[in-house]
Amino acid sequence: MTSKIRTGIVYDDRFLLHETGMHPEKKERLKSIMGFLEQKGALEKLELIEPRKARVEEIEYAHTKNYIEEIESYCAKGYNAIDMDTMICSASYEVALLSAGGAITAVDKVMSGELDHVFSFGRPPGHHAEPNRGMGFCLFNNVAIAAYHAMKEYNLERILIIDWDVHHGNGTQVMFYHDPRVLFFSTHQSPAYPGTGSFNEVGAGKGEGYTVNVPLPPGSGDADYEYIFQEFLRPLCDQFKPQLILVSSGHDAHENDPLAGMALSSQAYGMMAKMVKEIAEKYCDGKIVLVLEGGYNLNALAEAVFNVLDTLAGWGMSSPEKKEGVLLRQNSKNAVEMQTEKLKEFWPDL
Ligand SMILES: [Zn+2]
């Protein structure tokens, strides 16, 4: 008996047209993911969704008109970078519209009830992009645009964004810093690029308490993330009660990632997905949208993405547990304690 497919991926060969040369954020990342899913026999068990391009008005939810026009004109003029590490090519503007559109399409599929979980493999990634500047390999902030779309089109008032990329999602944080409709929760290596995301950044004005940062020292691994998700994210969600969960799904906290120094195993991504799935089932009919951010070891990236999809779809091909024998570090307990202290006035049941 075949059960109904409830999990999808957004993919389009045009995502490969954003050429970055000898750069870690390269098209081979997506080829590796898609190749691995095929090899595992997973593609036929997933709904394959074609993205549409985001309209400029939709990009404007998150970015200034001026900045959007700047990117368009840099691409038209054939520039090959917008800063030291953010590459572009002549096609990048259109591909970035498609990448943002992929996140929007994913929200529509989940909000319409057609699917429970959709992972958009759009690139360029987005979480570093701020309202008026791109940076850190990112042009348009896909996850933020998806959140705005969900608020505008579906009148949602409580969206949780989990950013488990190893880098802090500075762009996403800035966009919702004053906005209590979006709870932004980020685990990231510290110190590391881009340097933001300290405990003290908790939001401001009406958004105070709705930005939650858990900076972690290099070397943090499965047991640390398990502890943080279990002991901190879960009680936070019991109070916030999200209506939709978006995940900035970077896989560069993996132990084999060349750009960062964390120690997550591939199966840890299944473990985190399992906890997020439980939260989603409790509060929002299981609705989860993931958008791809970082992850630069091609094999680790593919394995980690597969484990996330496996856990969400319930195929049972991988183990959604922490790797055996990995110990919880005192640092992580301290991080949770400090953040709890800081946020207790907003979330008394922490
Ligand atoms: Zn990253």
Side-chain angles (χ1 to χ4, degrees), residues 127-128 165-167 252 294-296:
H127 74 149
H128 292 305
D165 188 280
V166 79
H167 304 102
D252 39 10
Y296 306 101

Side-chain angles (χ1 to χ4, degrees), residues 2 9 49 85 105 122 154 169 222 269 272 279 317 326-327 332:
T2 51
I9 54 173
I49 303 156
D85 50 25
T105 308
Y154 302 98
D222 295 17
Y269 287 92
M272 296 192 291
I279 295 168
M317 292 167 78
V326 182
L327 297 178
S332 316

Side-chain angles (χ1 to χ4, degrees), residues 269-297:
Y269 287 92
M271 170 192 81
M272 296 192 291
K274 185 179 163 195
M275 291 192 269
V276 173
K277 187 182 178 186
E278 284 165 9
I279 295 168
E281 282 172 356
K282 193 165 174 189
Y283 293 111
C284 48
D285 296 327
K287 292 184 174 65
I288 304 171
V289 167
L290 307 98
V291 299
L292 188 64
E293 303 286 0
Y296 306 101
N297 175 304

Side-chain angles (χ1 to χ4, degrees), residues 27-103:
K27 62 186 173 194
E28 283 76 12
R29 298 175 64 232
L30 296 193
K31 290 184 174 172
S32 178
I33 293 173
M34 294 302 282
F36 194 74
L37 292 180
E38 185 168 19
Q39 186 193 320
K40 287 280 188 180
L43 282 183
E44 62 221 44
K45 299 185 208 156
L46 293 163
E47 179 100 15
L48 181 60
I49 303 156
E50 213 178 289
R52 68 162 168 88
K53 267 183 200 171
R55 295 186 296 273
V56 173
E57 311 88 82
E58 292 170 324
I59 305 293
E60 281 180 37
Y61 297 159
H63 296 283
T64 62
K65 203 177 180 60
N66 203 23
Y67 168 67
I68 300 166
E69 286 170 2
E70 217 169 73
I71 295 297
E72 185 179 21
S73 88
Y74 289 167
C75 293
K77 286 177 187 155
Y79 288 12
N80 60 13
I82 59 165
D83 68 14
M84 291 282 282
D85 50 25
T86 310
M87 312 306 289
I88 55 169
C89 68
S90 58
S92 294
Y93 173 70
E94 297 292 332
V95 183
L97 293 179
L98 194 66
S99 185

Side-chain angles (χ1 to χ4, degrees), residues 167-219:
H167 304 102
H168 181 239
N170 58 295
T172 315
Q173 171 170 304
V174 164
M175 286 168 192
F176 302 112
Y177 207 65
H178 296 85
D179 193 339
R181 297 174 300 172
V182 175
L183 177 59
F184 176 66
F185 176 90
S186 173
T187 50
H188 44 273
Q189 181 177 319
S190 175
Y193 183 87
T196 48
S198 85
F199 289 114
N200 297 322
E201 297 161 28
V202 296
K206 283 186 178 155
E208 208 179 2
Y210 292 84
T211 291
V212 179
N213 286 303
V214 188
L216 293 164

